[in-house]
Amino acid sequence: MEGGGGVASVASLTMDCEDMFKEITKKLYGEEATVGVSVGVNVGSVVGVEFPAADRDLQDDDLRPEEHITAWGLAALMQNGFPPPGILQANFTPRTDPSAEDRWTAAEEPLAWAHSRVAAYNPAQRLFKCTDCECVGFLARVAEHWLGTHSQARAFQCPLAGCGFASGWARAVRQHLARDHHSDPAAADHLLRDNPALDDLTRYLQRLKSKVEAARTERRTGTSNTSSGTPNQAVDATAAESNVVGGEAGKRYACTACPYATDRRDLFTRHENIHRDEKPFHCYLCQKQFNRADHVKKHFLRMHRDQPYDLNRIRRSSGGKPATNAGGAVGPVGAVGPSGAGAVSVAAGGAAALFCAKASDAAGALLAAPAAAALECRAPPIKLERSPLAKTESVGSPATQHKPSTSSPGERRYACCYCAWSGVDNWCLKRHLNTHLKPFACALCEYKAARAERLATHVHKVHNKKACAKCPFLADDQHQLALHLRDAHHIESRNLKVPSGVGRTGGGGGFSSGAAAAPAVVPAGGGQVAAAAAAAASGGVTSQPAGVRRREQRAAGAARLFGYLEASDGSGDEYEPPPLPPEYAAQQQQQHATPAVTHAQHAAHAAHAAHASHIPHSTHAAHAAHATPHFARDKENAAPLHHAMHHDHCLRY
DNA sequence: CAGCAGGGGGCGG
DNA sequence: CGCCCCCTGCTGT
């Protein structure tokens, strides 16, 4: 009996663990996923040259191998809580080729100085898996991870003479510089770029990748392609060096650190910068650093509107100004010790880096240095004056920068005509307008929300349904939604991530902001079209050429909210603001003496008419009738289509 | 809810 | 290359 109790307690302990694990997986993957999740018990040694992917059949409703939580990941989760949304979710979408050789292949020869094969490569997923801990990620991230976590080599050293500090993480050195030397961490920027160990590691993995890819290509075509092994002959030297394989189908330049691929060299170059920690541009007033010049400008116009913007001063000299964005707190903390809790911590911290293409974001969030706040001249908020300015951007060419101080620069404001609010950019206005218009309507009741996630919450809590983000479909549960997504929208239930349910009132246009938007009124049988449109617009796979798609998005953009702003500089004729929703009309009437007031009447319709050319009349009608909502993928960001109808009631000045 | 930063892409010089 | 637009995510209030 007692013995039975012991067994029982052991059993219950086991159950507790299982329950805990289920709970975790449930949170991560949803209810249905728990069955399919396996704790990535270290598949054992990695000495073999090849080891298969998880030995499971890939059912439609099942999770793919790469979606499993590895033991490492689980440990990280348990220690650090749940990962940011980017991880294990949308951002991490390793491509899988169901029919493919889903195998992890390691190099035949270990990397000499490392005495390790470092990582195995999976051509189907284009991902590397660390041989020491099964972390999975893109080349650069895995290389960085392995060097920092598993390598005994402290490859990165403090550049200051006499200081013997060294670490396997470049970020550790940066942090060390800032913390211990109060020095400019930017001085260590070159560490990541020019480190011989990291370079060697990268080349080693790159060779592995090339070899595996080439072999794969040969297997597929049955013939050996050209000697280069890449179909993209046009890949230039830089791209070829960084990724011989090429990226997304047909793209000339593919990033080795993330799935990004493009045909444009300038975009690729620009993109590369985001994987480096260097930020070659800075705001010369507050010293905040940026990796793009236009971001400096945007920042400047937001934060220092009363100061003249000088393009020539934003590029940082190599000497380095006082840096504000110190290196990582992520890597170094746990990096010192490659084992034990530290390692877990590293792993957890690095999870974003490894699993999320936006690793820099994740790091950056942790690294944001408050020191940047020590601004010499943070511009006081501009007092709004409602004098209509015609696009007074004094920030253009250097020649126009030094205007008389009487004309303060960048006074262009985006004002709401329903209230006294004004924002610094178009997007702020768009989003703000949603608070008045509440475009996210529940299909089951009268509830309206200003934000998609609120509607989703409402639908879930009140109606106990899961809303499809792409159509009015309401599922009873996660599983049903996943099936629906797969069947109706051809979207695989990756991690069963459920887009927030978005139903919109109005549905005034044929498209919504850049993101997916099915036409508001979809005739029966038009579902496929709608789905296709949604899929295309969602930025995902589309059969359209990118240019065409972009142009259409632009055209749609013109038709949607505030496109008119680009046509109207506020100096045009005035026009009447469109009617508010009834509940606001009265309210606003009392609150404001109509700021919308004297809006130019012009263009509203001129621009609008032009825009409307892209909008089927039926959708206008739909809007007028507040008929079927239309749906968009992008939460509150996408300005509702009927904004296109209403867009002319706000004024940029 | 709003401010802000960061990323992708189009366009023109 | 610079500028612009759009979209997204994070964060503070």
Side-chain angles (χ1 to χ4, degrees):
Chain A
M1 296 284 268
E2 286 77 4
V7 172
S9 67
V10 171
S12 78
L13 181 64
T14 308
M15 285 306 295
D16 286 347
C17 292
E18 283 182 7
D19 289 344
M20 182 166 64
F21 177 69
K22 282 178 183 172
E23 189 62 28
I24 293 173
T25 52
K26 196 188 300 178
K27 283 180 184 295
L28 284 171
Y29 298 120
E31 291 286 343
E32 306 305 315
T34 52
V35 177
V37 174
S38 72
V39 186
V41 189
N42 263 340
V43 190
S45 57
V46 286
V47 289
V49 171
E50 285 195 349
F51 42 97
D55 47 350
R56 318 167 35 255
D57 291 332
L58 302 181
Q59 304 296 336
D60 279 343
D61 299 326
D62 220 340
L63 291 167
R64 290 189 285 263
E66 71 276 14
E67 293 172 322
H68 294 182
I69 306 177
T70 63
W72 159 80
L74 183 59
L77 286 175
M78 293 172 73
Q79 170 143 333
N80 297 280
F82 293 100
I87 308 174
L88 300 173
Q89 288 189 15
N91 283 342
F92 179 63
T93 56
R95 15 180 127 37
T96 51
D97 184 346
S99 68
E101 324 80 333
D102 195 14
R103 290 177 177 279
W104 296 93
T105 306
E108 293 175 8
E109 297 297 325
L111 179 58
W113 59 266
H115 305 294
S116 168
R117 287 183 175 82
V118 182
Y121 179 67
N122 183 320
Q125 301 176 15
R126 290 185 57 213
L127 293 171
F128 288 85
K129 182 195 284 183
C130 173
T131 56
D132 289 335
C133 70
E134 294 226 334
C135 292
V136 174
F138 297 107
L139 189 153
R141 294 298 168 187
V142 170
E144 205 179 329
H145 153 80
W146 190 89
L147 195 59
T149 306
H150 305 297
S151 165
Q152 301 303 315
R154 298 189 163 203
F156 302 97
Q157 297 180 343
C158 175
L160 298 183
C163 176
F165 182 86
S167 170
W169 295 87
R171 291 186 175 119
V173 176
R174 270 195 212 87
Q175 193 193 41
H176 158 77
L177 279 169
R179 186 188 54 205
D180 299 333
H181 298 300
H182 303 289
S183 165
D184 177 11
D189 277 353
H190 68 281
L191 287 172
L192 255 184
R193 301 195 301 276
D194 305 330
N195 187 276
L198 185 59
D199 287 349
D200 202 35
L201 204 51
T202 302
R203 280 194 297 270
Y204 173 78
L205 294 179
Q206 187 61 62
R207 281 196 300 273
L208 166 65
K209 180 179 181 180
S210 304
K211 194 172 177 180
V212 174
E213 292 282 359
R216 186 182 188 226
T217 304
E218 281 185 26
R219 276 200 303 274
R220 284 190 157 183
T221 60
T223 64
S224 60
N225 255 334
T226 60
S227 58
S228 71
T230 168
N232 299 321
Q233 298 296 331
V235 171
D236 74 349
T238 306
E241 182 181 339
S242 59
N243 187 359
V244 287
V245 183
E248 303 288 344
K251 301 292 185 184
R252 294 177 63 192
Y253 307 101
C255 179
T256 57
C258 74
Y260 177 73
T262 179
D263 282 329
R264 275 175 54 180
R265 184 189 172 116
D266 59 332
L267 292 180
F268 180 71
T269 303
R270 187 175 73 179
H271 172 88
E272 279 186 312
N273 280 335
I274 70 178
H275 295 303
R276 300 178 181 142
D277 284 348
E278 68 175 325
K279 294 175 185 286
F281 305 97
H282 74 173
C283 169
Y284 51 87
L285 292 182
C286 67
Q287 312 305 325
K288 183 169 173 53
Q289 298 176 18
F290 298 86
N291 60 9
R292 274 171 53 172
D294 55 333
H295 287 165
V296 179
K297 182 176 181 180
K298 188 165 65 173
H299 158 85
F300 198 97
L301 295 183
R302 279 174 160 167
M303 311 300 292
H304 315 296
R305 298 165 63 87
D306 56 343
Q307 302 290 321
Y309 174 72
D310 185 350
L311 177 64
N312 296 321
R313 294 172 65 190
I314 65 172
R315 184 172 282 278
R316 278 200 304 153
S317 61
S318 56
K321 297 245 179 187
T324 54
N325 278 16
V330 175
V333 178
V336 181
S339 64
V344 173
S345 161
V346 171
L354 280 167
F355 279 102
C356 177
K358 292 196 172 185
S360 57
D361 288 358
L366 291 171
L367 310 179
L375 312 182
E376 46 186 297
C377 56
R378 180 167 180 126
I382 297 292
K383 185 178 179 183
L384 255 186
E385 298 172 13
R386 299 191 69 86
S387 59
L389 299 177
K391 264 191 179 177
T392 56
E393 273 192 297
S394 68
V395 290
S397 64
T400 65
Q401 285 153 12
H402 302 291
K403 284 192 169 182
S405 57
T406 53
S407 159
S408 50
E411 283 190 358
R412 187 168 66 184
R413 296 286 293 187
Y414 297 78
C416 173
C417 62
Y418 296 146
C419 69
W421 180 93
S422 79
V424 293
D425 62 24
N426 205 0
W427 168 239
C428 290
L429 176 55
K430 265 194 228 177
R431 193 170 53 177
H432 166 80
L433 265 189
N434 279 356
T435 67
H436 293 303
L437 301 173
K438 298 193 184 300
F440 300 92
C442 177
L444 299 176
C445 68
E446 295 302 308
Y447 177 82
K448 291 181 180 177
R451 296 190 173 208
E453 63 266 26
R454 292 195 179 154
L455 175 61
T457 303
H458 160 84
V459 169
H460 180 60
K461 288 192 173 177
V462 177
H463 304 297
N464 197 26
K465 301 276 187 185
K466 300 278 185 181
C468 173
K470 301 195 178 300
C471 74
F473 180 76
L474 293 174
D476 290 330
D477 56 29
Q478 196 96 357
H479 184 62
Q480 191 182 4
L481 177 61
L483 290 176
H484 163 77
L485 285 171
R486 188 194 63 192
D487 297 339
H489 305 296
H490 308 293
I491 296 173
E492 286 300 320
S493 54
R494 188 174 55 244
N495 287 338
L496 292 179
K497 185 194 178 195
V498 185
S500 32
V502 182
R504 298 202 183 229
T505 60
F511 303 88
S512 86
S513 331
V521 179
V522 183
Q528 292 301 329
V529 176
S538 68
V541 181
T542 169
S543 57
Q544 283 179 305
V548 173
R549 180 165 53 91
R550 188 69 187 178
R551 275 194 296 279
E552 289 189 0
Q553 284 183 352
R554 287 239 164 206
R560 49 180 202 258
L561 179 63
F562 309 124
Y564 85 104
L565 286 176
E566 297 313 309
S568 164
D569 56 7
S571 60
D573 303 334
E574 312 211 334
Y575 50 91
E576 290 297 327
L580 263 178
E583 63 270 28
Y584 273 96
Q587 198 180 340
Q588 298 293 331
Q589 228 172 2
Q590 297 200 341
Q591 283 181 359
H592 307 290
T594 296
V597 286
T598 52
H599 284 155
Q601 320 206 321
H602 121 39
H605 282 77
H608 198 194
H611 302 155
S613 64
H614 301 285
I615 307 174
H617 283 300
S618 61
T619 56
H620 278 285
H623 164 260
H626 263 232
T628 313
H630 84 266
F631 299 84
R633 174 179 63 90
D634 58 332
K635 304 185 184 175
E636 81 271 19
N637 293 343
L641 253 291
H642 68 259
H643 282 180
M645 299 293 288
H646 292 297
H647 68 230
D648 42 6
H649 44 245
C650 292
L651 178 65
R652 168 204 290 173
Y653 65 97

